[in-house]
Amino acid sequence: MRRSILLAAALTTTLALAACSSGESGEETTTEPQESGSASGSLTVWVDETRQDAVTAAAASFEEETGTSVEVVLKNFEDIRADFLAQVPTGEGPDITVGAHDWLGELTTNGVVAPLELGDKAGDFETVSIEAFTQDGQVYGLPYAIENIALIRNTALAAEAPATWDDAVAAGQAAGTQFPILVQSDGDKGDPYTHYPLQTSFGAPVFTQNEDGSYSSELAMGGPEGQAYAQWLGAQGAAGVLSQDTTYDIAVEAFKNGQSPFIVGGPWMIESFEGLDLSIDPIPSAGGQPAQPFVGVQGFYLSAESENAIVANDFLVNFLSSEDAQLALYEAGNRLPALTAAADAAAAEDPIVAGFRAVGAEALPMPSIPEMASVWSFWGVTEAAIVSGADPVATWDKMIADIQGAIDS
């Protein structure tokens, strides 16, 4: 069976972890690959409320087929990362936890997660979802959901998708609405996540990427490309197209009320726009290159201290990666499935999902490397200052120097 082959492969690289680790399961892991129905021991899985029912259903199937008991523990999502970091080294943590891909740098730095053996199953997932959980050539998470922003268009106010940022502004002005295009911000904190595709359209990604899609620690948003983006930000602020006063709530309310044909946002906004005829389009380029937003991926991590690492790998790779499980997780969280077959099914049923998927396919995983922590505190406030009138080049260059200094310290 294909499942047995994957178990054998998992044994080769995870046996050392299984032999020396301690977790909540309390059972010794066998040193031989196990066929369905012969697994032993127990697993503990941490989930939040949204994922609880879907994971419980997959766990029931796993218990029936393997004989391994699975305890699904409900946690507040906001508490999971800190609790996992604190408890795994003490042997009190779970075998598996739900989590976001951008936790990866912190989790690997602290040695609390183990790589997975996906085998040929890796090819069954959307490429960007595997890239998001990849570090140093190894995959550390079983992805289940993908989310990204795109251009949400009110087709009653704009019949066609704009090809460029200038086209979008012109179409918004022609529509006669209060806002030509809505891009949220957060006062003097800015919002670099939402503005990121506009930055990448100038060829200024935050870090350089390796061939496998993972990130190096080399900053890539300085130099002429970053300065050009900063000058564009200043010009848009001076023209009143971008404003730090356009908060999330203001932007959503304005779009809902027909005050703009366009808003840059994610699937979490859609329920607020009931009754509008919407299209999901690529974010228009401001700098001439593709406008690539960040992709966030949700998944499941394997504890580095799991006593049943091989069995846990089996549960992740052969049960939580099934089409039924991934669709159940999609229906619970309303985020695009990471499994390609499940994503195909979801997109076929909903053109909104299909639109976000098409944009996400060309997007970039949010960096999960530890150096990213040095970026956020400088990035948004710098963009906000430039939009509000600060000297674009000098302010941007200072930000780059400050970030590099924080990384080097």
Side-chain angles (χ1 to χ4, degrees):
M1 294 175 59
R2 187 180 186 189
R3 181 171 169 272
S4 299
I5 294 170
L6 288 172
L7 278 172
L11 178 64
T12 302
T13 57
T14 60
L15 184 56
L17 286 171
C20 65
S21 59
S22 59
E24 290 186 325
S25 58
E27 296 287 334
E28 291 297 322
T29 302
T30 178
T31 58
E32 295 295 332
Q34 300 173 36
E35 295 290 343
S36 296
S38 64
S40 62
S42 63
L43 297 176
T44 300
V45 184
W46 282 0
V47 298
D48 62 335
E49 185 176 9
T50 302
R51 263 61 61 164
Q52 184 179 23
D53 289 346
V55 174
T56 299
S61 297
F62 186 69
E63 288 180 338
E64 181 179 357
E65 182 168 336
T66 69
T68 300
S69 63
V70 181
E71 181 185 9
V72 179
V73 177
L74 180 63
K75 302 273 291 183
N76 290 324
F77 190 81
E78 294 78 11
D79 299 331
I80 288 177
R81 173 161 49 170
D83 288 354
F84 191 76
L85 284 163
Q87 294 186 32
V88 167
T90 70
E92 297 299 320
D95 299 278
I96 294 167
T97 186
V98 70
H101 90 268
D102 58 348
W103 301 359
L104 180 58
E106 185 176 14
L107 298 183
T108 55
T109 298
N110 285 275
V112 296
V113 289
L116 298 179
E117 285 298 319
L118 297 184
D120 58 2
K121 274 288 184 72
D124 295 342
F125 288 85
E126 301 283 271
T127 300
V128 71
S129 71
I130 296 296
E131 289 179 349
F133 279 107
T134 298
Q135 184 171 297
D136 297 327
Q138 295 181 303
V139 180
Y140 282 87
L142 190 285
Y144 72 83
I146 301 170
E147 65 181 14
N148 55 270
I149 59 175
L151 185 72
I152 304 171
R153 172 167 55 96
N154 183 337
T155 61
L157 297 175
E160 297 180 354
T164 68
W165 175 266
D166 289 344
D167 290 342
V169 172
Q173 293 169 340
T177 54
Q178 180 178 349
F179 303 95
I181 184 170
L182 290 159
V183 184
Q184 73 187 58
S185 190
D186 187 16
D188 59 7
K189 296 178 183 177
D191 189 342
Y193 173 85
T194 304
H195 287 73
Y196 190 62
L198 303 169
Q199 179 176 320
T200 59
S201 77
F202 284 85
V206 57
F207 290 106
T208 59
Q209 278 186 283
N210 302 313
E211 290 185 5
D212 63 1
S214 63
Y215 285 89
S216 77
S217 60
E218 181 184 355
L219 278 175
M221 58 180 180
E225 294 81 6
Q227 292 172 349
Y229 168 64
Q231 290 172 319
W232 176 85
L233 277 178
Q236 297 303 304
V241 177
L242 295 179
S243 170
Q244 297 314 301
D245 296 329
T246 307
T247 65
Y248 177 89
D249 290 340
I250 289 173
V252 169
E253 188 70 15
F255 187 81
K256 181 177 72 174
N257 294 332
Q259 294 174 273
S260 178
F262 310 108
I263 185 170
V264 176
W268 49 86
M269 291 181 175
I270 297 300
E271 64 180 4
S272 298
F273 304 146
E274 186 175 355
L276 299 181
D277 187 6
L278 302 176
S279 177
I280 308 301
D281 303 317
I283 296 168
S285 173
Q289 298 186 38
Q292 296 176 285
F294 279 134
V295 168
V297 183
Q298 298 283 330
F300 296 93
Y301 289 103
L302 171 63
S303 168
E305 298 297 328
S306 171
E307 291 185 346
N308 262 338
I310 296 171
V311 178
N313 194 94
D314 180 27
F315 176 58
L316 290 173
V317 174
N318 294 295
F319 286 80
L320 284 179
S321 68
S322 72
E323 186 172 346
D324 286 346
Q326 294 261 322
L327 284 172
L329 289 161
Y330 158 69
E331 290 165 3
N334 198 30
R335 297 293 185 270
L336 179 74
L339 187 74
T340 299
D344 288 343
E349 293 291 325
D350 189 339
I352 298 296
V353 172
F356 279 110
R357 183 191 190 189
V359 174
E362 303 300 323
L364 301 169
M366 184 182 291
S368 59
I369 56 176
E371 289 82 1
M372 192 66 186
S374 299
V375 175
W376 293 114
S377 60
F378 299 105
W379 198 5
V381 295
T382 297
E383 291 185 335
I386 292 171
V387 169
S388 297
D391 179 84
V393 172
T395 306
W396 192 262
D397 286 350
K398 183 179 185 302
M399 177 197 73
I400 297 297
D402 289 342
I403 293 172
Q404 191 62 59
I407 290 174
D408 293 341
S409 64

